[in-house]
C-alpha cells in the first residue's frame, strides 16, 4: 500500500473518531463550556447581593431569601426542560424506582445547596464567600476517593487539598476589620460547599437514570419549588419590586440554566478532575466582581487566599486522576 493511501486511511479513521466524539468530550469545547460555567457562577456572587438590596430583602428575612432563590431555580429549571423538549431530548425514566434519587439530587444540587448559600451570602462579603466556596472542589476530591474504588488518594491530591485548605484558612488572617469567621456567614457557605460536592458526585448516577439535560431541569425545578413553598410559609415576599431587581433575577436565572446544564453534562462525560479544575476561576471572578460591583474592600488576604485555592486545584488536577 502506498504511503499516501495509508495516510488517507489514517486521516479518514481519525476524522471518523472525531465525528463520533461528543462535543462535550472534545478538549477545546470542554475548555469553552467549563470556562463559561465557572465565569457565570463567579458573577452570581455580586448579583445575589445586589438583588437582595434591590428587592429590599434584609439579612433577617429568611423566607424572602428562600422565595427569591426558589423563583430563580424553578424558572431556570422550566427553561431547561422547555429547551430539552423542543430539541427532542428523551424524558424516559423509571420514575417508580428513580424518584428517590431525583428528589435527593434536587435537594443536594439546588434546595439545601442554595438555602445555605443565600443565608451565607446575606451575612458575608461576596468576595469572601466566593473564595470560601472553593472548598467544594477539594471536598469532591476527598469524597470521590472515599466513595469510588477508581479514585485513589495520592500524595499529589493530598498536597493539593492541603494547599487549597490553607487558602481558606488565610481568610481569617488579620483583625476584625478585614473579616472573621461567623456561623451565619462562613458556616453557611461551608455547608453549601458540602452540598455542592455531594451533588457533583451524584451527577454520574443522574446520567444513568435520565438524560442529563432533562435531569438538570427536573432538579432545578423541583429544588426551586422546595425553596418557594417553605419560603412562602415563612411569610416570604419580595418587598420592593424594581427594574434593577428584575434584571438581577433574570441574569441569575440565565446563569443557573446555562451553568448547571453545561457543568452537569461535562461531569457526566469526563473525569471529575478534568472539569473541576476550571472552578478555580470562580473564587477569583467572584471576589473581583464583588469588589467592583459592591464597592467591597479588596483585602490583601483575599489575593493570598484566592491564589492558594487556585494553586491547590491546579495541583490536584495536574497529571492523571
Amino acid at each position: 500500500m502506498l504511503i499516501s493511501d495509508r495516510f488517507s486511511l489514517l486521516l479518514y479513521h481519525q476524522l471518523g473518531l472525531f465525528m463520533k466524539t461528543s462535543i462535550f468530550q472534545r478538549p477545546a469545547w470542554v475548555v469553552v463550556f467549563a470556562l463559561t460555567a465557572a465565569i457565570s457562577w463567579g458573577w452570581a456572587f455580586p448579583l445575589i447581593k445586589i438583588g437582595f438590596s434591590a428587592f429590599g430583602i434584609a439579612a433577617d428575612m429568611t423566607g424572602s431569601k428562600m422565595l427569591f432563590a426558589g423563583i430563580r431555580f424553578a424558572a431556570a429549571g422550566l427553561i431547561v426542560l422547555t429547551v430539552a423538549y423542543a430539541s427532542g431530548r428523551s424524558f424516559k425514566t423509571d420514575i417508580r424506582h428513580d424518584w428517590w434519587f431525583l428528589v435527593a439530587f434536587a435537594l443536594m444540587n439546588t434546595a439545601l445547596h442554595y438555602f445555605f448559600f443565600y443565608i451565607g451570602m446575606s451575612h458575608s462579603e461576596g468576595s469572601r464567600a466566593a473564595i470560601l466556596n472553593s472548598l467544594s472542589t477539594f471536598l469532591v476530591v476527598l469524597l470521590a476517593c472515599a466513595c469510588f474504588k477508581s479514585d485513589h488518594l495520592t500524595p499529589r491530591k493530598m498536597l493539593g487539598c492541603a494547599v487549597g485548605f490553607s487558602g481558606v484558612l488565610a481568610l481569617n488572617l488579620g483583625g476584625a476589620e478585614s473579616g472573621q469567621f461567623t456561623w451565619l456567614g462562613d458556616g453557611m457557605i461551608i455547608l453549601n460547599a458540602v452540598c455542592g460536592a455531594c451533588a457533583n458526585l451524584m451527577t454520574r448516577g443522574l446520567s444513568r437514570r435520565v438524560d442529563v439535560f432533562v435531569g438538570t431541569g427536573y432538579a432545578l425545578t423541583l429544588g426551586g419549588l422546595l425553596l418557594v413553598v417553605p419560603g412562602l410559609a415563612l411569610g416570604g415576599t419580595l418587598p420592593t419590586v424594581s427594574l434593577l431587581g428584575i434584571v438581577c433575577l433574570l441574569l441569575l436565572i440565565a446563569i443557573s440554566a446555562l451553568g448547571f446544564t453545561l457543568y452537569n453534562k461535562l461531569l457526566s462525560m469526563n473525569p471529575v478532575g478534568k472539569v473541576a479544575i476550571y472552578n478555580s476561576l470562580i473564587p477569583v471572578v467572584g471576589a473581583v466582581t464583588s469588589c467592583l460591583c459592591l464597592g467591597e474592600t479588596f483585602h490583601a488576604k483575599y489575593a493570598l487566599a484566592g491564589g492558594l485555592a487556585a494553586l491547590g486545584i491546579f495541583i490536584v488536577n495536574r497529571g492523571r486522576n
Side-chain angles (χ1 to χ4, degrees), residues 67-177:
L67 178 62
F68 181 74
I71 292 173
R72 170 191 174 185
F73 294 113
L78 291 174
I79 290 172
V80 173
L81 289 175
T82 301
V83 173
Y85 179 79
S87 60
R89 294 278 175 178
S90 173
F91 279 67
K92 184 179 179 181
T93 183
D94 188 352
I95 197 67
R96 291 177 301 173
H97 297 94
D98 296 335
W99 67 268
W100 64 271
F101 187 90
L102 294 175
V103 171
F105 186 74
L107 281 170
M108 282 295 177
N109 188 68
T110 308
L112 291 176
H113 185 182
Y114 283 95
F115 170 76
F116 294 133
F117 183 71
Y118 273 60
I119 298 299
M121 280 295 295
S122 63
H123 292 88
S124 177
E125 291 188 339
S127 49
R128 180 183 179 88
I131 297 169
L132 191 60
N133 193 53
S134 64
L135 265 175
S136 179
T137 301
F138 306 110
L139 291 174
V140 167
V141 174
L142 297 176
L143 290 174
C145 293
C147 298
F148 304 131
K149 293 182 179 179
S150 58
D151 286 81
H152 304 287
L153 189 60
T154 63
R156 171 174 52 80
K157 291 181 178 179
M158 292 175 65
L159 174 62
C161 288
V163 172
F165 279 121
S166 69
V168 175
L169 293 176
L171 282 176
N172 295 292
L173 296 174
E177 72 281 354

Side-chain angles (χ1 to χ4, degrees), residues 16 25 32 41 47 69-71 74 84 89 144 165 169 172 213 216 242 246 251 268 278 281 283 292 319:
Q25 292 176 303
V32 171
W41 280 329
L47 285 174
I71 292 173
R89 294 278 175 178
F165 279 121
L169 293 176
N172 295 292
F213 289 104
T216 299
S242 65
I246 293 173
L251 288 173
S268 71
Y278 298 99
L281 275 178
L292 291 176

Side-chain angles (χ1 to χ4, degrees), residues 17-18 21-35 266 269-271 274-275 277-278:
L17 290 176
F18 178 78
T21 302
S22 168
I23 191 173
F24 291 96
Q25 292 176 303
R26 298 175 190 173
W29 284 105
V30 169
V31 172
V32 171
F33 292 147
L35 285 177
L266 290 173
M269 304 188 72
N270 299 278
K274 184 178 180 180
V275 178
I277 187 173
Y278 298 99

Side-chain angles (χ1 to χ4, degrees), residues 62-75 78 110-112 115 220-238 249:
T62 301
S64 294
K65 294 173 197 171
M66 295 175 70
L67 178 62
F68 181 74
I71 292 173
R72 170 191 174 185
F73 294 113
L78 291 174
T110 308
L112 291 176
F115 170 76
L220 289 172
T221 304
L222 179 57
L225 293 176
L226 289 173
L227 287 167
V228 167
V229 173
L232 291 173
L234 291 173
T237 62
L238 300 180
L249 183 56

